[in-house]
Amino acid sequence: MNDIMNLFSLNGKNAVVTGANTGLGQGICVALAAAGAHVFGVARRSCDETAAKIAAEGGQFTEVRADLSDFAAIDSILEQVHAHADRIDILVNNAGIIKRCDAIDVTPENWDAVDFLNEKMVFFLSQAVAKQWVADKKGGKIINIASMLSFQGGIRVPAYTSSKSAVMGMTKALAREIGSRGITVNCVAPGFIDTDMTRVLSDEQKDHLQAQIPLGRLGSVDDIAQSCLFLASDAGAYITGVTLHVNGGMYMG
């Protein structure tokens, strides 16, 4: 049993998680910290709630303030992390935005804002971290957050759907190119998760959604966080270039 548990241990590892102050990002931070990682949570706003949850469990957490809508955030993140840790072992690209708009009304500004954070920043932050891994020859793990909409499209969210589809392709491209350097790159694609984004739905809308999910419920933040933990741990050491569906069976690809 101890050997099995050790597979999921992140003791001695440093993990960077973007979008760490709420929702999925917060849950991922808590899960990785509970497994023993020193988690560096990146967000524009305070991560006090995330920090408190991790502290309550005796975990390690350091807040990293950065605005991911600007490329300057990359150097800032690395500088803040390396003030406390010699290297990054795990990068979880969770931060993202969604702008709802009829396709015929989308503006270039709307599209560019979504694409920059959801796709471009994911690649160039991954690139910056991967450069360090290539240099020190110790490898690492990148986990990107895609979406069920990456597979089945989405209504009134064309930029979001496009960006999350691109993240899957980027994941495969990076995994194939840098796998020989001891770096794994994978994706988690959440379905409908019980977060602030879905709590605004009416009971009727939720019932309609749940009727389409074979497991009969919305996903929890923990469902996504535990999937990320699996991919970040030695239990997922031989998995790369994969997009893991975590949607209760609503989409089966």
Side-chain angles (χ1 to χ4, degrees), residues 223-238:
D223 290 323
I224 305 304
Q226 290 159 11
S227 299
C228 289
L229 172 58
F230 166 64
L231 292 173
S233 72
D234 286 344
Y238 199 56

Side-chain angles (χ1 to χ4, degrees), residues 20-203:
N21 57 320
T22 60
L24 296 183
Q26 182 178 95
I28 294 166
C29 287
V30 171
L32 299 188
H38 181 170
V39 176
F40 293 83
V42 179
R44 283 187 305 155
R45 302 183 182 89
S46 169
C47 292
D48 286 352
E49 185 176 311
T50 305
K53 287 177 178 286
I54 291 173
E57 299 297 327
Q60 287 184 286
F61 179 82
T62 299
E63 178 178 291
V64 175
R65 287 289 185 99
D67 182 355
L68 291 171
S69 66
D70 187 328
F71 274 134
I74 295 175
D75 287 341
S76 176
I77 290 167
L78 296 180
E79 182 179 341
Q80 291 180 68
V81 172
H82 289 307
H84 300 273
D86 59 349
R87 80 185 304 269
I88 296 165
D89 300 287
I90 301 155
L91 171 64
V92 183
N93 289 302
N94 164 74
I97 56 172
I98 187 168
K99 291 183 179 288
R100 300 184 186 280
C101 181
D102 290 345
I104 59 174
D105 295 324
V106 173
T107 65
E109 293 77 18
N110 174 300
W111 187 281
D112 288 345
V114 173
D115 183 73
F116 185 91
L117 182 56
N118 293 8
E119 179 187 354
K120 209 174 225 183
M121 181 56 74
V122 169
F123 175 80
F124 284 102
L125 180 55
S126 298
Q127 179 195 66
V129 174
K131 282 180 180 179
Q132 297 186 348
W133 292 342
V134 169
D136 70 15
K137 300 181 180 179
K138 294 181 180 178
K141 294 175 180 287
I142 297 172
I143 301 165
N144 298 321
I145 304 300
S147 169
M148 186 173 67
L149 300 187
S150 303
F151 304 93
Q152 61 178 193
I155 298 171
R156 302 190 74 242
V157 288
Y160 179 85
T161 300
S162 177
S163 67
K164 291 299 186 179
S165 298
V167 164
M168 289 197 308
M170 179 199 311
T171 295
K172 293 175 183 178
L174 282 174
R176 185 170 294 278
E177 184 169 341
I178 61 179
S180 64
R181 308 300 187 96
I183 301 168
T184 64
V185 190
N186 291 293
C187 242
V188 172
F192 288 97
I193 307 300
D194 185 16
T195 62
D196 290 342
M197 192 178 294
T198 54
R199 286 174 196 141
V200 300
L201 299 175
S202 68
D203 289 342

Side-chain angles (χ1 to χ4, degrees), residues 1-11 13 35 233-235:
M1 178 62 75
N2 285 337
D3 288 342
I4 293 174
M5 296 304 295
N6 286 338
L7 280 175
F8 292 92
S9 172
L10 299 181
N11 286 335
K13 302 293 186 181
S233 72
D234 286 344

